Amino acid sequence: MSAIALLVVVSLAVVLTRGQPEVLDESTPQGVVQRYSSAVIDGDRATATSYLTEAATTSCRSYPDSGPPPSRVVLISATESGTSAVVKVSVIAAASDGLFGPSEYETEARFSLVKTNGKWLVDQAPYQLLTCTGSAVKQ
Amino acid sequence: MISQAPATGPGARSIQLTLRRMILYALLFALVIITAVGLSGLLERLFSTGALLASGDVAGLARSLAFTLIGGPLTAVLWWMVWRRLDDAPERTAPAWAVYLSAVYAVSLITAVTALLTTASSFIGRPEPQWYGPLSAGLVWAGIWIWHHWVWRHPVKHPPGLEDVPAITGWVFGLAVAVVSAISALGGLLDVAVRGNASLIAGAPWWQPIVRALVWAVGGAGVWWWHWFRRGGRSVETTLGDVALVGAGIFAAGATALTGAGVVVFVLLRTALDRGGAMSELLAPLGTALASAAVGALVWRYHRVIGTRRSLATRRAGRLVTSGVALAAAASGIGVVINATLATAVSPLAGGGVRTLLLGGVSSLLVGGCTWWFAWNPLQQPGSADAIPPGRRIYLVVFFGISAVVALIALLVIGYRLFEFLLGGSSGAGLLDRVRAPLGLLTAAGLVAAYHFALWRRERARPPGASAGAHAIDRVTLVAPYDTAALSKAVRDATGAKVAVWRRAESGHQALPAGAAVPVEQALVDRVLTALADVTARNVLVVIGPGTGQPAPFEVIPVDMDGRSR
C-alpha cells in the first residue's frame, strides 16, 4: 500500500513539474511535422496550412474535419531520401468515456514530406491531423 | 449388421413430446408477436386518420391487415389448444410452457412500458407530438402483458417452474429504467445548476429534457414498485432471485456509483491542477457524475440492506462483488498512473495531455482503493480454514485468473512492440510511448494476480479449526406447533442457512391458533443450536414438539435432498 502511495506522489511530482516538449530544428522533416502538429492541436489553421504543400492544401478541402484533434503526437522514426521524407508518428487520442475515467487510443500514422525551395513541407498528413482552411465554404 | 431399435419406447415418446411442446410454444410466441405488430399498425392508422391529409402507404396497410387477419385467428386457435391441454399436469409442468410465459411476459412488459413512456414524454416540449405509433404499440402490448400476467397468477394453469421469473424480470427492468432516467434527470438539473443553461437551441427551455427524463424515471419506478412489493420480488429467495439482487442491485449499482464518484474526483482534481481548457468544458461531466454517484449509491445501499435479510451466501456474494468492482477500479487506476508516469519520460512532438491522464488514474485509484479497503478489509483476514467463507476461494481464483489473462495479453503486446523496435521499425522514444499503456496494465494486473495468489496459497495451507461443519448447512426447515421467529432468526444468524418455518397441523395434538406467539425459551434456542453444530448435512429438518412441555422436545434430522433443484 505504501508503495502505491509513493508511486502516486512521485507521479504527481514528475507530471506537474514537467516542462514543454523539446523544440526540434525546423529545417528537418520531424521539426516541420512538430510545428504542423502543434498548430493543428492548438487549432491554429493558418499556421498549420503554412507547412502544407499546395497539393496538400487542395486535397484537404475534399475532407471534412475528422473530429477533435489528438492529445499527443510522438515521433517513431524519420527517413529522408533526397527531396522526400517519411515521418512515422504515434498519434494518441484521449477519450473521457472509459469505465473508470479517461482512456487513450494509440494509432500509428505517417507524414509524407517533400522539399520545396529548400524547405520541408507536408505533402500528406494522417487523417487525425488534417486541417482545412475553410476556403471551400466560400466558393 | 446393426439393427436399429424402433423409436416407440418411452424415451422416444418423451423426446417427441418435448419437441412438440417446443415447436408449439415457439409458434405461439411468433404468432403473438405477429398479431401484436398487425394490431399496432391498424390502431396507429385509426389514431392518425384525423391528422393525415393524404396517405399512399398501401404496403404498410396490407401488411398490418395480413398480420392481424391471419395471425390473430391462428393465435386464438393455437391458444385455445394450449389452454385446453393445460388441464393436464405434465403440460403445466413442462419447461416449454414456463419459458414461453416468461418470454412473452418480459417482451410485452418491456415493449409496453417503453412505448407508453415514449408517448407520455413526447407531449413535453414538442409542438406536434408524434404519439400515434408509440401509443398504439403501448396499448396492444399492455393488453398482451395483462393477459399473460393473468395467466401467471392463474390458480390452476400457471407454470409451477420459473414462477419467480416474471417478478424478477419486472423489477430488474423497472429498476434499470428508473436508475438511468433518474441519473439523466438529476444530472441535467445539476448541470444547469453548475454551468447554467448551455443550450444553443433558441426557445428550448432547460427543464424540458429534465421533465422528459423524470417521466421515464417515474414510469420505471412504478414498474419496479409493482413487481418488488406487490408481486413479491422482494421476498423471492430462489437462486435466480439472489443472482438478480447481487447482479443488478449490488454489482451494476456499485459500478455506477463508483464510476460517478471517480469522475467527480477527476473533475475536482482537474479544476485544482489541470485547468487547460475552458471551465465550462471542464465541468461538463460533473452533473451526470454527481447524479450517477448519488443514485448508484442509494440503490447499492438499499440492496445491501435487503441482502442482509437473505442467506449468508447472498450476503457474502454481495460483499465479494462490491470488493471486486472496487478492485477493478483501483487496479485500472494503478495502470493509468504508471502509464502517465512513463509518458513523462518521452518528449512528444506536439501536445501533452499527460496531466489529465494521470489525474484520471489517481481519481480511479482513490475511489476504487478506498471502497475496496472497506469492502475487503485486508487487515482482518480469516484466521483459520473454518473461518474462510466458501465463496471467498472462488473469488480469489477468479480474480487471479482474470488478472493473469490480462497480464498475458499485455505481455504479448509489449513483446510485439519490442520485436518491432528490435527489427528496426521505430525509435527508442517511440517504443516507450507505445508500450507504456500495456506496461501499466501489466504491472497492475501482476500486482492483483500476485496478491490474490498469495492469499489463496496462504488460506489453503491453514489448518482447520474446531468448528468444522458449522457452515455446512444450506437450508433448515423448522417444523413447530407455534410461531418461532426468535428461534428461526437465531438459527439463521448462527448457521447462515436459509430457514423455512412450517407449522404443525396434526389433528392428534393441540396446535395453537395461527398467529399465536409462544415465547421460545432461550434454553431451547441454545439446545437447537448446539445440536445443529454437530450436523454436517446441507439440508436439515428440525421438528419441535409434539407438545410444548418443559424442556420442549425437538429432533434434528439431516435430510438428503439430492436431485432437487432448489
Side-chain angles (χ1 to χ4, degrees), chain B residues 51-290:
Chain B
L52 278 180
L53 294 177
S55 174
D57 184 17
V58 175
L61 181 59
R63 190 190 59 202
S64 297
L65 283 170
F67 278 21
T68 309
L69 297 178
I70 296 173
L74 283 177
T75 309
V77 170
L78 204 57
W79 178 257
W80 175 74
M81 285 168 59
V82 165
W83 193 248
R84 227 166 35 114
R85 283 175 185 273
L86 286 172
D87 289 331
D88 303 334
E91 288 293 327
R92 282 199 305 275
T93 52
W97 169 229
V99 169
Y100 161 80
L101 198 62
S102 304
V104 176
Y105 189 92
V107 170
S108 60
L109 176 72
I110 292 168
T111 316
V113 169
T114 309
L116 291 175
L117 289 176
T118 306
T119 310
S121 59
S122 72
F123 284 98
I124 300 162
R126 303 264 160 79
E128 290 177 6
Q130 296 294 316
W131 52 270
Y132 321 115
L135 182 64
S136 50
L139 288 176
V140 170
W141 281 103
I144 294 171
W145 175 73
I146 291 169
W147 167 26
H148 285 82
H149 180 267
W150 171 77
V151 177
W152 174 40
R153 308 285 296 172
H154 194 278
V156 178
K157 300 194 178 182
H158 72 277
L162 302 180
E163 271 178 312
D164 50 348
V165 174
I168 293 168
T169 309
W171 80 253
V172 171
F173 169 67
L175 185 68
V177 171
V179 165
V180 172
S181 310
I183 289 172
S184 178
L186 187 60
L189 193 66
L190 289 171
D191 192 43
V192 172
V194 172
R195 298 196 301 156
N197 186 12
S199 173
L200 296 176
I201 304 166
W206 59 269
W207 51 266
Q208 283 180 356
I210 296 172
V211 175
R212 273 197 286 272
L214 209 58
V215 167
W216 277 83
V218 170
V223 173
W224 171 80
W225 177 84
W226 169 262
H227 288 91
W228 185 251
F229 289 107
R230 300 296 300 272
R231 288 293 164 252
R234 187 171 57 159
S235 50
V236 170
E237 292 204 13
T238 57
T239 307
L240 184 64
D242 288 346
V243 168
L245 182 85
V246 173
I250 295 177
F251 174 74
T256 308
L258 276 184
T259 308
V263 175
V264 170
V265 175
F266 173 58
V267 171
L268 293 179
L269 284 175
R270 278 197 74 187
T271 315
L273 301 169
D274 182 29
R275 288 194 187 188
M279 200 52 156
S280 175
E281 191 186 341
L282 199 74
L283 296 175
L286 189 61
T288 308
L290 278 170

Side-chain angles (χ1 to χ4, degrees), chain A residues 1 4 8 11-12 14-16 18 21-22 24 34 37-38 71-76 92 99-100 102 104 106 108, chain B residues 259 329 334 337 341 343-344 346-352 354-355 357-358 360 364-365 417 426-427 430 433-434 436:
Chain A
M1 299 303 155
I4 292 170
V8 172
S11 306
L12 278 170
V14 169
V15 172
L16 296 178
R18 191 167 158 274
E22 179 195 349
L24 303 177
Q34 181 181 43
S37 303
S38 299
S71 64
R72 200 171 143 88
V73 179
V74 177
L75 179 68
I76 294 176
I92 294 118
L99 180 59
F100 296 115
E104 286 188 337
E106 186 266 341
E108 186 182 316
Chain B
T259 308
I334 293 174
V337 168
T341 311
T344 57
V346 180
S347 180
L349 274 182
V354 177
R355 197 177 280 200
L357 186 68
L358 175 69
S364 191
L365 177 60
R417 295 295 191 202
S426 65
S427 67
D433 200 66
R434 296 167 86 189
R436 62 190 168 91

Side-chain angles (χ1 to χ4, degrees), chain A residues 6-70:
Chain A
L6 185 69
L7 170 72
V8 172
V9 171
V10 169
S11 306
L12 278 170
V14 169
V15 172
L16 296 178
T17 56
R18 191 167 158 274
Q20 292 297 311
E22 179 195 349
V23 180
L24 303 177
D25 186 1
E26 194 177 351
S27 64
T28 60
Q30 52 268 42
V32 170
V33 168
Q34 181 181 43
R35 282 162 182 78
Y36 171 79
S37 303
S38 299
V40 173
I41 290 172
D42 295 341
D44 185 357
R45 291 183 171 192
T47 307
T49 311
S50 71
Y51 290 103
L52 291 175
T53 60
E54 185 62 32
T57 315
T58 316
S59 66
C60 157
R61 288 176 189 158
S62 63
Y63 286 96
D65 275 344
S66 53

Side-chain angles (χ1 to χ4, degrees), chain B residues 242-553:
Chain B
D242 288 346
V243 168
L245 182 85
V246 173
I250 295 177
F251 174 74
T256 308
L258 276 184
T259 308
V263 175
V264 170
V265 175
F266 173 58
V267 171
L268 293 179
L269 284 175
R270 278 197 74 187
T271 315
L273 301 169
D274 182 29
R275 288 194 187 188
M279 200 52 156
S280 175
E281 191 186 341
L282 199 74
L283 296 175
L286 189 61
T288 308
L290 278 170
S292 300
V295 175
L298 191 73
V299 175
W300 189 9
R301 174 77 192 147
Y302 176 76
H303 288 95
R304 284 204 68 170
V305 171
I306 291 290
T308 57
R309 296 175 201 158
R310 299 286 175 98
S311 69
L312 191 61
T314 311
R315 276 180 277 163
R316 282 179 190 143
R319 267 201 298 275
L320 292 179
V321 162
T322 306
S323 169
V325 174
L327 183 62
S332 149
I334 293 174
V336 173
V337 168
I338 293 168
N339 177 357
T341 311
L342 290 175
T344 57
V346 180
S347 180
L349 274 182
V354 177
R355 197 177 280 200
T356 311
L357 186 68
L358 175 69
L359 296 181
V362 170
S363 54
S364 191
L365 177 60
L366 271 178
V367 172
C370 291
T371 314
W372 177 78
W373 189 271
F374 286 111
W376 183 250
N377 205 352
L379 298 182
Q380 284 189 352
Q381 296 299 308
S384 69
D386 300 328
I388 298 169
R392 185 183 160 96
R393 281 184 177 151
I394 297 170
Y395 170 88
L396 292 177
V397 172
V398 164
F399 251 92
F400 169 71
I402 291 174
S403 43
V405 169
V406 171
L408 176 69
I409 293 169
L411 201 61
L412 284 174
V413 175
I414 293 170
Y416 170 73
R417 295 295 191 202
L418 194 65
F419 282 116
E420 198 181 36
F421 166 71
L422 291 174
L423 294 171
S426 65
S427 67
L431 171 71
L432 185 59
D433 200 66
R434 296 167 86 189
V435 299
R436 62 190 168 91
L439 209 56
L441 211 56
L442 176 68
T443 316
L447 280 174
V448 172
Y451 175 77
H452 288 89
F453 182 67
L455 217 54
W456 177 75
R457 279 196 66 174
R458 202 167 58 196
E459 291 183 0
R460 201 177 58 154
R462 283 203 177 121
S467 60
H471 301 283
I473 303 172
D474 283 348
R475 185 181 290 265
V476 174
T477 306
L478 201 57
V479 182
Y482 43 79
D483 286 349
T484 54
L487 179 60
S488 58
K489 184 179 182 307
V491 170
R492 191 182 298 123
D493 291 345
T495 62
K498 288 181 181 176
V499 179
V501 179
W502 293 357
R503 285 192 49 132
R504 298 185 74 115
E506 66 267 70
S507 57
H509 300 283
Q510 188 181 0
L512 292 177
V518 171
V520 177
E521 69 273 23
Q522 190 57 41
L524 174 65
V525 174
D526 293 342
R527 285 192 301 133
V528 170
L529 292 183
T530 310
L532 283 173
D534 297 331
V535 176
T536 53
R538 294 181 65 190
N539 299 284
V540 178
L541 184 67
V542 178
V543 183
I544 312 281
T548 55
Q550 296 292 335

Side-chain angles (χ1 to χ4, degrees), chain A residues 112-131:
Chain A
S112 294
L113 294 97
V114 289
K115 205 168 206 174
T116 311
N117 302 326
K119 191 182 168 190
W120 286 106
L121 291 175
V122 174
D123 194 41
Q124 280 183 345
Y127 76 95
Q128 303 96 322
L129 287 159
L130 274 180
T131 186

